[in-house]
Amino acid sequence: MSGSPALRLLTGLLFLEATAMIVVVLVLVVDILTLPATSLVSAIALTVLAAIGAIFISAVAIGALRRSGWVRGGAVIWQLVQLAIGIGAFQGAFAQPAIGWALLAPSVVVLVLLFTPSVLAAISRDGV
């Protein structure tokens, strides 16, 4: 893949996030099949929503690899969702700060990279 280092890092982080979501979906499927669920319908619904998220971020990552113009909007939306989940991971009785940081750090980096001049130039619709 050619392009600026910022674009390569952005694409790599998006693919890392896509891979993480695919792993989440696989874990949820294994949980449905092996663990008793309080609500099977809720477990299936959560798995379907996670699968939709995995498909979405995978499409964004592929779009970044292809330098598609629509990538910036999709990536910003995904990072905002990820930031909200990351902030939530710091709160409550079952707080998981490690998960919170694992979600917040790449989100902030991706948001910064999305608006660097070299990335903006590479993924703009007219290539300028």
Side-chain angles (χ1 to χ4, degrees):
M1 180 176 118
S2 63
S4 71
L7 180 62
R8 288 194 299 271
L9 179 58
L10 172 70
T11 305
L13 286 172
L14 290 172
F15 273 106
L16 182 65
E17 291 173 349
T19 302
M21 278 305 297
I22 292 167
V23 168
V24 166
V25 171
L26 293 175
V27 167
L28 290 171
V29 169
V30 168
D31 283 353
I32 287 173
L33 297 175
T34 61
L35 300 174
T38 304
S39 171
L40 184 59
V41 173
S42 295
I44 292 170
L46 178 63
T47 304
V48 169
L49 287 173
I52 291 168
I55 292 167
F56 177 77
I57 191 61
S58 296
V60 171
I62 291 167
L65 188 63
R66 295 179 178 170
R67 298 181 182 189
S68 300
W70 59 268
V71 165
R72 193 169 53 247
V76 167
I77 293 299
W78 182 260
Q79 300 315 312
L80 293 177
V81 169
Q82 196 164 283
L83 282 170
I85 295 168
I87 290 168
F90 289 102
Q91 304 169 7
F94 302 104
Q96 295 291 324
I99 293 173
W101 287 116
L103 293 170
L104 290 176
S107 291
V108 170
V109 173
V110 168
L111 284 170
V112 169
L113 288 172
L114 283 169
F115 296 98
T116 59
S118 62
V119 171
L120 285 172
I123 63 175
S124 66
R125 291 183 194 265
D126 56 5
V128 179

